[in-house]
Amino acid sequence: KTAARRRRLEAAEKRERELSLQVSGRVQRAEMLADLERNLEGFSHSVRLVMRESGRGLLGGIDGPVSRLIRTSAAYAVAIETALGGAAQHIVVEDEEAAKAAIAFLKKTQGGRATFLPLTSAHGSGFSARGCERCEGYVGIAGELVEADSRYAGIVRSLLGRTVVVRDLDCAVDMARQFRYSFRIVTLDGQQVNAGGSLTGGSAGRNAGLLTRRAQIDSLRQEAARLRAELEKTQAEKKTAQAELSEVEAAVSGLRGETATAQEERIRLEAERRRLTKRMESLTVDI
């Protein structure tokens, strides 16, 4: 019984150590990626300059790069990055005046070039290729696989509203043929069939990772929270196992004490028996 309790406690302690390491690893990885995100690592020099100036309050009406204003799950991140291409780094601004001020700043400082998307003029059109959802490997319209504040709906439609995401390149080619290459199709691993029939693919492009990084941060934090809850449960189980072991050990200790007392009493009684036996023998001799 004691051995079983001890094994249960040891198993809980081992699981606690494992979970603690896993939580720590997820948190550290998420924080490292969050630091890269805060420092705009992976963005062009011009985008970093504009965002820095906006952060200092010297440029107004700057909302941020597209990739920082939308979110998607890790499963779709590569496809959405492919669909966006260079537009992942386009800067969303409140209106044309904000765009003009930012462009003037880049020109004055020779900070490079950037593309600005004014909320007042970016609307986009709906998707009209009915029936594509019945094609093999269909995943969804790219614009419907992301989350963004409602004020960016026009931006999302203009950039992703006419792009379809499918499972793989074979599915993309088959769909493109059926619809006469009338819209762009991207795959979950980042290949694409362009409107008109050209194919683009291979390894990840220069903008790859911007959305994936944010998706990884979210995923790591969610995983850390899940593991932390499991850790708390394990710690409670460890506490219970420790209490049960202590209780059993206390009971065993008590029994050992009682046994020792009984042993001492047995020895005393045995000595008394011998003394009485000798006394009886002595009395018999005297008679």
Side-chain angles (χ1 to χ4, degrees), residues 59-77:
L59 278 178
I62 306 295
D63 284 39
V66 169
S67 64
R68 299 187 80 179
L69 301 178
I70 65 175
R71 305 184 93 88
T72 191
S73 69
Y76 306 137

Side-chain angles (χ1 to χ4, degrees), residues 128-271:
S128 58
R130 296 179 180 176
C132 65
E133 69 277 3
R134 294 191 293 272
C135 292
E136 176 71 22
Y138 174 83
V139 175
I141 305 301
E144 296 174 358
L145 300 177
V146 303
E147 296 178 359
D149 190 281
S150 58
R151 68 199 305 262
Y152 303 124
I155 298 289
V156 171
R157 279 196 304 272
S158 66
L159 297 177
L160 300 171
R162 294 186 56 78
T163 299
V164 175
V165 178
V166 298
R167 187 178 62 236
D168 54 41
L169 191 56
D170 288 336
C171 294
V173 170
D174 289 343
M175 181 184 289
R177 286 172 178 163
Q178 289 185 52
F179 289 88
R180 300 178 182 276
Y181 305 97
S182 58
F183 52 85
R184 185 173 49 160
I185 305 169
V186 300
T187 67
L188 291 174
D189 67 346
Q191 318 308 315
Q192 67 181 351
V193 179
N194 305 296
S198 62
L199 278 69
T200 303
S203 59
R206 64 184 295 269
N207 289 294
L210 299 180
L211 272 176
T212 298
R213 183 168 65 200
R214 298 191 70 216
Q216 286 178 331
I217 292 171
D218 291 342
S219 178
L220 286 165
R221 286 174 174 167
Q222 290 169 8
E223 182 70 4
R226 185 190 67 77
L227 289 169
R228 196 174 286 113
E230 189 175 344
L231 174 60
E232 290 173 358
K233 180 181 177 182
T234 299
Q235 288 171 333
E237 291 174 352
K238 171 190 163 186
K239 186 176 180 180
T240 299
Q242 179 68 68
E244 290 178 353
L245 178 61
S246 297
E247 183 180 343
V248 170
E249 287 179 337
V252 170
S253 179
L255 288 172
R256 284 174 178 166
E258 292 176 7
T259 300
T261 300
Q263 182 71 9
E264 290 173 0
E265 181 65 11
R266 187 186 68 78
I267 293 171
R268 187 187 69 77
L269 290 173
E270 181 65 24

